[in-house]
Amino acid sequence: EGVLDRSRVEEIASLYGVKLRFDYSKLNGFYAYSSNASSLNLFLSRLREIANVSDVVPGWMMPDASGINNYLNLEHPPLAKYVIALIMATVGDYPFYWRLGSIVAGTLLVLFTYLIARRLLNSAPAALASASLLAADPLVRNLSSIALLDVYVALFTVISFYLALDKRFKLSVLAVLVGSLFKFNTLFALIPVSLLYAREKLKGRYSLLDLTAVVLGFYIASGLGFLLTQMVAGIPLIGYLGFTSWFKQSITGAIAWHTQIKCLGNACPTSSAPWDWFTGVNSFTLYYFPGGLSVTASGFWPLWCFALVATIIFLPSYLKGNKAFAHSTCWLLGVLSGYILLWIIGGRTQYSFYAVQLAPLVYSSLTVILATFNYDRVVEVLESWKDLFTRINRAVGMLLLLE
């Protein structure tokens, strides 16, 4: 705090063999580093004698941003921060180590995608193809090598998918709730879980009243579970901030933040709508290389586009008797509908790296479609769409007659 005598600080640092970096323009501070922890501590003690030091943040050099030393990032839950902090404490505070959790999550993501495809198609080659496509996808590879939250979202989504296939719905919901401790958008996986749970619970009794009761009960129980898990994970923050402040910032404030436009203007990163992720446009830039090259958060969009279009085209026919397609479609379109709903209600600032949650669902659907495709299916699709348009035409005709 106050004006710092840089020359005096450099003089003291030289006495203890401490090196300094004065890279900060938005923070009133500097970075000090030394291979000798004792010398660094002695330097800090001496520094406090000549300056009013308000904060000392140990570890790797922080980026230059105003107030970053006090920023808690409460719009997202804390579990990923706990994981990175544990790695720092046990392995070391170095950028590569921060990414170890993401690397493990990305590896498990590929494994569970293999298990899902194997379960859906009972075919090891098809499952291997699905997992290989996912592992080769640039979006998955990039998100599995940096310390962002979304690869954890994708992981717990596929774990939930895998458990739901075995009708272990309580564990499936639990996987979603654990994933929501990394980021709230894991909750979109509750949409397909709720539909599959309702189908199993009703067993063909599809009255509107019964369906409403089952689905409403499902979401009430899941909502209570969400609040409970968030409170348990937030205990350190609740102790620091107090329950009311924590709840306003981490729950109601976070929900409000997610459902509104977060940034406007040319200085904002590139945002996108959910359908952009299937066409490779408006991709978020993850990294800039010297010379103008960059890495963007985008998957193999031609395959993504084909998977989505084919899923929609084959929907009327495949839902009649193909359980593998029914499951893969329910998950792909169910989770995607969550992002579309968020966009409709005001959350227009979405980024293409969110799409990694959809990546295993895209390749699961793609594999199912290709593995079960044949000439008879084409005929069924054409007949199904013909039947659908015939019904629509009759309904429109009846309405015109009523007028």
Side-chain angles (χ1 to χ4, degrees), residues 348-364:
R348 304 294 174 86
T349 317
Q350 299 185 38
Y351 303 112
S352 63
F353 58 82
Y354 295 1
V356 73
Q357 183 182 13
L358 297 169
L361 312 180
V362 165
Y363 290 115
S364 296

Side-chain angles (χ1 to χ4, degrees), residues 24 38 61 79 96 104 106 145 153 156 196 222 228 248 276 294-295 318 334 344 361 396:
Y24 292 110
S38 297
M61 186 175 180
L79 193 53
F96 174 74
V104 171
S145 61
V153 173
F156 283 95
L196 296 172
S222 299
L228 178 61
K248 287 181 178 179
D276 290 337
S294 63
V295 175
Y318 273 48
I344 291 172
L361 312 180
V396 172

Side-chain angles (χ1 to χ4, degrees), residues 12-294:
I12 297 173
S14 65
L15 294 176
Y16 296 99
V18 173
K19 296 181 179 180
L20 304 175
R21 287 184 61 174
F22 293 89
D23 296 39
Y24 292 110
S25 61
K26 299 176 183 177
L27 280 176
N28 183 24
F30 59 89
Y31 184 68
Y33 56 102
S34 172
S35 59
N36 189 316
S38 297
S39 296
L40 186 59
N41 288 329
L42 288 172
F43 163 73
L44 292 173
S45 297
R46 183 69 183 279
L47 182 65
R48 287 188 174 94
E49 296 176 3
I50 66 163
N52 184 13
V53 179
S54 63
D55 197 6
V56 176
V57 181
W60 196 260
M61 186 175 180
M62 295 186 302
D64 186 19
S66 179
I68 194 171
N69 54 315
N70 297 313
Y71 178 50
L72 295 177
N73 188 225
L74 294 178
E75 60 268 24
H76 294 309
L79 193 53
K81 288 81 167 178
Y82 296 164
V83 171
I84 294 175
L86 179 62
I87 292 171
M88 286 180 176
T90 55
V91 181
D93 185 5
Y94 188 76
F96 174 74
Y97 300 149
W98 308 342
R99 302 166 184 171
L100 290 178
S102 296
I103 294 170
V104 171
T107 303
L108 292 175
L109 179 63
V110 173
L111 173 62
F112 273 97
T113 300
Y114 172 86
L115 294 175
I116 287 169
R118 180 69 183 267
R119 180 76 169 75
L120 289 172
L121 296 166
N122 194 28
S123 168
L128 184 61
S130 181
S132 298
L133 285 170
L134 182 75
D137 190 279
L139 177 64
V140 175
R141 287 190 290 106
N142 289 330
L143 269 291
S144 299
S145 61
I146 58 178
L148 284 181
L149 306 176
D150 296 83
V151 69
Y152 297 104
V153 173
L155 172 61
F156 283 95
T157 297
V158 294
I159 292 175
S160 178
F161 189 174
Y162 179 74
L163 293 168
L165 284 175
D166 287 334
K167 300 180 182 180
R168 291 184 282 178
F169 295 110
K170 291 181 180 179
L171 290 177
S172 181
V173 171
L174 180 60
V176 175
L177 296 181
V178 173
S180 74
L181 297 177
F182 290 92
K183 200 173 181 184
F184 283 0
N185 51 339
T186 316
L187 295 173
F188 292 149
L190 289 177
I191 297 173
V193 177
S194 67
L195 296 175
L196 296 172
Y197 172 76
R199 187 183 68 173
E200 178 65 21
K201 190 76 172 176
L202 295 173
K203 294 186 181 298
R205 297 180 289 106
Y206 293 112
S207 74
L208 181 59
L209 183 61
D210 288 342
L211 179 62
T212 302
V214 170
V215 172
L216 186 60
F218 175 90
Y219 281 110
I220 290 174
S222 299
L224 293 174
F226 166 75
L227 291 175
L228 178 61
T229 52
Q230 294 293 324
M231 284 190 289
V232 171
I235 286 174
L237 292 169
I238 293 171
Y240 178 69
L241 298 169
F243 180 82
T244 301
S245 179
W246 168 83
F247 191 84
K248 287 181 178 179
Q249 295 182 68
S250 298
I251 304 297
T252 57
I255 292 172
W257 184 81
H258 284 295
T259 54
Q260 64 183 355
I261 296 175
K262 307 180 188 74
C263 186
L264 289 172
N266 295 329
C268 299
T270 302
S271 61
S272 54
W275 42 89
D276 290 337
W277 308 337
F278 293 85
T279 55
V281 301
N282 297 323
S283 297
F284 183 94
T285 301
L286 295 170
Y287 189 79
Y288 289 99
F289 288 102
L293 297 176
S294 63

